[in-house]
Amino acid sequence: MKFEECMKELDDITTRLESGKLTLDESVDLYSKGIKLCAECSAKLNEIKGKIALLEESEQGLSEKQIEVE
């Protein structure tokens, strides 16, 4: 899933949770899904951060390295 799609889904989950119209089970399920999406977004941001750092190093005349994503 693309970063923007994750953020949109997180926004939708937040709106639904804040509505107060969900059952407790629905709220817990959505909260759990939101936590997983947050982790996915964080991983994507860390990956991009690594790529940007490599590009900056490359711009400074240093050799470009292969990054490994955990």
Side-chain angles (χ1 to χ4, degrees):
M1 182 180 291
K2 293 183 180 181
F3 179 80
E4 292 79 5
E5 292 169 345
C6 285
M7 291 300 296
K8 171 72 171 107
E9 194 163 346
L10 276 171
D11 187 48
D12 293 343
I13 287 172
T14 301
T15 300
R16 290 182 64 198
L17 287 171
E18 289 176 342
S19 75
K21 296 178 182 179
L22 302 173
T23 66
L24 180 59
D25 287 337
E26 291 171 327
S27 295
V28 170
D29 288 344
L30 277 178
Y31 183 80
S32 176
K33 186 175 183 179
I35 293 296
K36 290 175 185 173
L37 286 170
C38 280
E40 189 175 331
C41 286
S42 180
K44 287 180 186 294
L45 287 174
N46 285 333
E47 179 182 350
I48 297 300
K49 183 178 175 182
K51 287 179 181 179
I52 290 171
L54 290 176
L55 289 172
E56 288 174 346
E57 287 178 8
S58 180
E59 289 271 327
Q60 296 171 4
L62 302 174
S63 63
E64 193 166 339
K65 305 174 208 168
Q66 180 70 24
I67 63 168
E68 293 182 23
V69 179
E70 297 177 17

